[in-house]
PDB file of all heavy atoms in Angstrom:
ATOM      1  N   THR A 229      71.484 109.576 -21.792  1.00 97.00           N
ATOM      2  CA  THR A 229      72.643 109.411 -22.539  1.00 97.00           C
ATOM      3  C   THR A 229      73.790 108.702 -21.680  1.00 97.00           C
ATOM      4  O   THR A 229      74.105 108.945 -20.486  1.00 97.00           O
ATOM      5  CB  THR A 229      73.229 110.817 -22.991  1.00 97.00           C
ATOM      6  OG1 THR A 229      72.273 111.434 -23.649  1.00 97.00           O
ATOM      7  CG2 THR A 229      74.523 110.664 -23.799  1.00 97.00           C
ATOM      8  N   LEU A 230      74.411 107.668 -22.357  1.00 97.00           N
ATOM      9  CA  LEU A 230      75.530 107.051 -21.690  1.00 97.00           C
ATOM     10  C   LEU A 230      76.898 107.447 -22.194  1.00 97.00           C
ATOM     11  O   LEU A 230      76.999 107.664 -23.377  1.00 97.00           O
ATOM     12  CB  LEU A 230      75.300 105.492 -21.994  1.00 97.00           C
ATOM     13  CG  LEU A 230      76.349 104.459 -21.391  1.00 97.00           C
ATOM     14  CD1 LEU A 230      76.386 104.504 -19.827  1.00 97.00           C
ATOM     15  CD2 LEU A 230      76.120 103.051 -21.898  1.00 97.00           C
ATOM     16  N   THR A 231      77.583 107.862 -21.275  1.00 97.00           N
ATOM     17  CA  THR A 231      79.051 108.257 -21.568  1.00 97.00           C
ATOM     18  C   THR A 231      79.989 107.312 -21.019  1.00 97.00           C
ATOM     19  O   THR A 231      79.857 106.868 -19.782  1.00 97.00           O
ATOM     20  CB  THR A 231      79.172 109.669 -20.929  1.00 97.00           C
ATOM     21  OG1 THR A 231      78.237 110.507 -21.509  1.00 97.00           O
ATOM     22  CG2 THR A 231      80.529 110.211 -21.241  1.00 97.00           C
ATOM     23  N   ILE A 232      80.979 106.892 -21.801  1.00 97.00           N
ATOM     24  CA  ILE A 232      81.945 105.922 -21.431  1.00 97.00           C
ATOM     25  C   ILE A 232      83.242 106.617 -21.259  1.00 97.00           C
ATOM     26  O   ILE A 232      83.876 107.112 -22.125  1.00 97.00           O
ATOM     27  CB  ILE A 232      82.072 104.720 -22.350  1.00 97.00           C
ATOM     28  CG1 ILE A 232      80.680 104.216 -22.638  1.00 97.00           C
ATOM     29  CG2 ILE A 232      83.119 103.714 -21.918  1.00 97.00           C
ATOM     30  CD1 ILE A 232      80.185 103.326 -21.544  1.00 97.00           C
ATOM     31  N   SER A 233      83.915 106.439 -20.074  1.00 97.00           N
ATOM     32  CA  SER A 233      85.355 106.927 -19.926  1.00 97.00           C
ATOM     33  C   SER A 233      86.220 105.875 -20.449  1.00 97.00           C
ATOM     34  O   SER A 233      86.510 104.946 -19.751  1.00 97.00           O
ATOM     35  CB  SER A 233      85.684 107.259 -18.450  1.00 97.00           C
ATOM     36  OG  SER A 233      84.849 108.210 -18.005  1.00 97.00           O
ATOM     37  N   LEU A 234      86.627 106.067 -21.697  1.00 97.00           N
ATOM     38  CA  LEU A 234      87.399 104.973 -22.304  1.00 97.00           C
ATOM     39  C   LEU A 234      88.898 105.159 -22.149  1.00 97.00           C
ATOM     40  O   LEU A 234      89.536 104.325 -21.524  1.00 97.00           O
ATOM     41  CB  LEU A 234      87.131 105.005 -23.866  1.00 97.00           C
ATOM     42  CG  LEU A 234      87.651 103.825 -24.726  1.00 97.00           C
ATOM     43  CD1 LEU A 234      87.150 102.522 -24.257  1.00 97.00           C
ATOM     44  CD2 LEU A 234      87.410 103.953 -26.094  1.00 97.00           C
ATOM     45  N   HIS A 235      89.380 106.352 -22.539  1.00 96.00           N
ATOM     46  CA  HIS A 235      90.744 106.692 -22.233  1.00 96.00           C
ATOM     47  C   HIS A 235      91.864 105.835 -22.706  1.00 96.00           C
ATOM     48  O   HIS A 235      93.104 106.221 -22.519  1.00 96.00           O
ATOM     49  CB  HIS A 235      90.976 107.031 -20.733  1.00 96.00           C
ATOM     50  CG  HIS A 235      89.976 107.861 -20.060  1.00 96.00           C
ATOM     51  ND1 HIS A 235      89.582 108.990 -20.688  1.00 96.00           N
ATOM     52  CD2 HIS A 235      89.272 107.848 -18.930  1.00 96.00           C
ATOM     53  CE1 HIS A 235      88.766 109.564 -19.879  1.00 96.00           C
ATOM     54  NE2 HIS A 235      88.474 108.945 -18.756  1.00 96.00           N
ATOM     55  N   ALA A 236      91.652 104.809 -23.411  1.00 96.00           N
ATOM     56  CA  ALA A 236      92.667 103.906 -23.917  1.00 96.00           C
ATOM     57  C   ALA A 236      92.154 103.005 -24.999  1.00 96.00           C
ATOM     58  O   ALA A 236      90.956 102.789 -25.161  1.00 96.00           O
ATOM     59  CB  ALA A 236      93.452 103.162 -22.806  1.00 96.00           C
ATOM     60  N   THR A 237      93.068 102.503 -25.799  1.00 96.00           N
ATOM     61  CA  THR A 237      92.552 101.729 -26.936  1.00 96.00           C
ATOM     62  C   THR A 237      93.032 100.137 -26.901  1.00 96.00           C
ATOM     63  O   THR A 237      92.666  99.444 -27.737  1.00 96.00           O
ATOM     64  CB  THR A 237      93.087 102.280 -28.331  1.00 96.00           C
ATOM     65  OG1 THR A 237      94.560 102.435 -28.175  1.00 96.00           O
ATOM     66  CG2 THR A 237      92.540 103.668 -28.592  1.00 96.00           C
ATOM     67  N   THR A 238      93.917  99.871 -25.865  1.00 97.00           N
ATOM     68  CA  THR A 238      94.216  98.414 -25.693  1.00 97.00           C
ATOM     69  C   THR A 238      93.987  98.123 -24.109  1.00 97.00           C
ATOM     70  O   THR A 238      94.133  99.127 -23.378  1.00 97.00           O
ATOM     71  CB  THR A 238      95.757  98.144 -25.947  1.00 97.00           C
ATOM     72  OG1 THR A 238      96.490  98.890 -25.152  1.00 97.00           O
ATOM     73  CG2 THR A 238      96.108  98.565 -27.407  1.00 97.00           C
ATOM     74  N   ASP A 239      93.728  96.932 -23.952  1.00 97.00           N
ATOM     75  CA  ASP A 239      93.436  96.522 -22.634  1.00 97.00           C
ATOM     76  C   ASP A 239      94.716  96.757 -21.646  1.00 97.00           C
ATOM     77  O   ASP A 239      94.514  97.188 -20.565  1.00 97.00           O
ATOM     78  CB  ASP A 239      92.957  95.081 -22.467  1.00 97.00           C
ATOM     79  CG  ASP A 239      91.632  94.910 -23.212  1.00 97.00           C
ATOM     80  OD1 ASP A 239      90.740  95.572 -22.850  1.00 97.00           O
ATOM     81  OD2 ASP A 239      91.510  94.009 -23.960  1.00 97.00           O
ATOM     82  N   GLU A 240      95.864  96.501 -22.253  1.00 96.00           N
ATOM     83  CA  GLU A 240      97.115  96.638 -21.439  1.00 96.00           C
ATOM     84  C   GLU A 240      97.220  98.191 -21.085  1.00 96.00           C
ATOM     85  O   GLU A 240      97.488  98.380 -19.924  1.00 96.00           O
ATOM     86  CB  GLU A 240      98.246  96.269 -22.446  1.00 96.00           C
ATOM     87  CG  GLU A 240      99.382  95.804 -21.644  1.00 96.00           C
ATOM     88  CD  GLU A 240     100.574  95.601 -22.665  1.00 96.00           C
ATOM     89  OE1 GLU A 240     100.322  95.479 -23.919  1.00 96.00           O
ATOM     90  OE2 GLU A 240     101.735  95.423 -22.280  1.00 96.00           O
ATOM     91  N   LYS A 241      97.130  99.073 -22.072  1.00 95.00           N
ATOM     92  CA  LYS A 241      97.244 100.413 -21.666  1.00 95.00           C
ATOM     93  C   LYS A 241      96.099 100.933 -20.761  1.00 95.00           C
ATOM     94  O   LYS A 241      96.358 101.755 -19.865  1.00 95.00           O
ATOM     95  CB  LYS A 241      97.217 101.340 -22.959  1.00 95.00           C
ATOM     96  CG  LYS A 241      98.510 101.277 -23.745  1.00 95.00           C
ATOM     97  CD  LYS A 241      98.387 102.455 -24.840  1.00 95.00           C
ATOM     98  CE  LYS A 241      99.489 102.258 -25.830  1.00 95.00           C
ATOM     99  NZ  LYS A 241      99.654 103.478 -26.549  1.00 95.00           N
ATOM    100  N   ARG A 242      94.995 100.490 -21.023  1.00 97.00           N
ATOM    101  CA  ARG A 242      93.767 100.828 -20.218  1.00 97.00           C
ATOM    102  C   ARG A 242      94.145 100.524 -18.695  1.00 97.00           C
ATOM    103  O   ARG A 242      93.885 101.270 -17.712  1.00 97.00           O
ATOM    104  CB  ARG A 242      92.521 100.291 -20.681  1.00 97.00           C
ATOM    105  CG  ARG A 242      91.343 101.012 -20.225  1.00 97.00           C
ATOM    106  CD  ARG A 242      90.083 100.819 -21.037  1.00 97.00           C
ATOM    107  NE  ARG A 242      88.970 101.756 -20.554  1.00 97.00           N
ATOM    108  CZ  ARG A 242      87.867 101.308 -19.869  1.00 97.00           C
ATOM    109  NH1 ARG A 242      87.822 100.017 -19.473  1.00 97.00           N
ATOM    110  NH2 ARG A 242      87.060 102.178 -19.463  1.00 97.00           N
ATOM    111  N   SER A 243      94.697  99.346 -18.547  1.00 96.00           N
ATOM    112  CA  SER A 243      94.732  98.873 -17.227  1.00 96.00           C
ATOM    113  C   SER A 243      95.916  99.527 -16.458  1.00 96.00           C
ATOM    114  O   SER A 243      95.956  99.521 -15.196  1.00 96.00           O
ATOM    115  CB  SER A 243      94.985  97.282 -17.027  1.00 96.00           C
ATOM    116  OG  SER A 243      96.089  96.935 -17.755  1.00 96.00           O
ATOM    117  N   LEU A 244      96.806 100.180 -17.220  1.00 92.00           N
ATOM    118  CA  LEU A 244      97.808 101.026 -16.609  1.00 92.00           C
ATOM    119  C   LEU A 244      97.251 102.253 -15.958  1.00 92.00           C
ATOM    120  O   LEU A 244      97.695 102.790 -14.968  1.00 92.00           O
ATOM    121  CB  LEU A 244      98.804 101.501 -17.609  1.00 92.00           C
ATOM    122  CG  LEU A 244      99.780 100.719 -18.368  1.00 92.00           C
ATOM    123  CD1 LEU A 244     100.592 101.365 -19.367  1.00 92.00           C
ATOM    124  CD2 LEU A 244     100.724 100.151 -17.157  1.00 92.00           C
ATOM    125  N   ILE A 245      96.131 102.752 -16.421  1.00 93.00           N
ATOM    126  CA  ILE A 245      95.458 103.990 -15.841  1.00 93.00           C
ATOM    127  C   ILE A 245      94.123 103.782 -15.249  1.00 93.00           C
ATOM    128  O   ILE A 245      93.714 104.597 -14.460  1.00 93.00           O
ATOM    129  CB  ILE A 245      95.366 105.118 -16.971  1.00 93.00           C
ATOM    130  CG1 ILE A 245      94.842 104.577 -18.266  1.00 93.00           C
ATOM    131  CG2 ILE A 245      96.750 105.844 -17.155  1.00 93.00           C
ATOM    132  CD1 ILE A 245      94.484 105.800 -19.286  1.00 93.00           C
ATOM    133  N   MET A 246      93.554 102.673 -15.647  1.00 96.00           N
ATOM    134  CA  MET A 246      92.159 102.409 -15.016  1.00 96.00           C
ATOM    135  C   MET A 246      92.046 100.930 -14.502  1.00 96.00           C
ATOM    136  O   MET A 246      91.953  99.939 -15.400  1.00 96.00           O
ATOM    137  CB  MET A 246      91.056 102.644 -16.020  1.00 96.00           C
ATOM    138  CG  MET A 246      91.111 104.103 -16.576  1.00 96.00           C
ATOM    139  SD  MET A 246      89.865 104.355 -17.932  1.00 96.00           S
ATOM    140  CE  MET A 246      88.357 104.393 -16.981  1.00 96.00           C
ATOM    141  N   PRO A 247      92.066 100.703 -13.253  1.00 97.00           N
ATOM    142  CA  PRO A 247      92.023  99.251 -12.823  1.00 97.00           C
ATOM    143  C   PRO A 247      90.864  98.559 -13.196  1.00 97.00           C
ATOM    144  O   PRO A 247      90.876  97.257 -13.278  1.00 97.00           O
ATOM    145  CB  PRO A 247      92.044  99.579 -11.192  1.00 97.00           C
ATOM    146  CG  PRO A 247      92.569 100.880 -11.029  1.00 97.00           C
ATOM    147  CD  PRO A 247      92.353 101.716 -12.195  1.00 97.00           C
ATOM    148  N   ILE A 248      89.697  99.131 -13.495  1.00 97.00           N
ATOM    149  CA  ILE A 248      88.528  98.559 -14.027  1.00 97.00           C
ATOM    150  C   ILE A 248      88.840  97.670 -15.188  1.00 97.00           C
ATOM    151  O   ILE A 248      88.128  96.737 -15.448  1.00 97.00           O
ATOM    152  CB  ILE A 248      87.292  99.549 -14.352  1.00 97.00           C
ATOM    153  CG1 ILE A 248      86.143  98.810 -14.497  1.00 97.00           C
ATOM    154  CG2 ILE A 248      87.683 100.478 -15.592  1.00 97.00           C
ATOM    155  CD1 ILE A 248      85.526  98.208 -13.230  1.00 97.00           C
ATOM    156  N   ALA A 249      89.876  98.073 -15.849  1.00 98.00           N
ATOM    157  CA  ALA A 249      90.288  97.371 -17.192  1.00 98.00           C
ATOM    158  C   ALA A 249      90.717  95.773 -16.832  1.00 98.00           C
ATOM    159  O   ALA A 249      90.832  95.081 -17.628  1.00 98.00           O
ATOM    160  CB  ALA A 249      91.342  98.098 -17.953  1.00 98.00           C
TER     161      ALA A 249
END
Side-chain angles (χ1 to χ4, degrees):
T229 301
L230 179 64
T231 299
I232 305 289
S233 296
L234 187 61
H235 305 320
T237 54
T238 68
D239 294 310
E240 203 187 351
K241 284 194 190 194
R242 196 164 190 256
S243 59
L244 285 177
I245 48 176
M246 301 176 76
I248 193 72

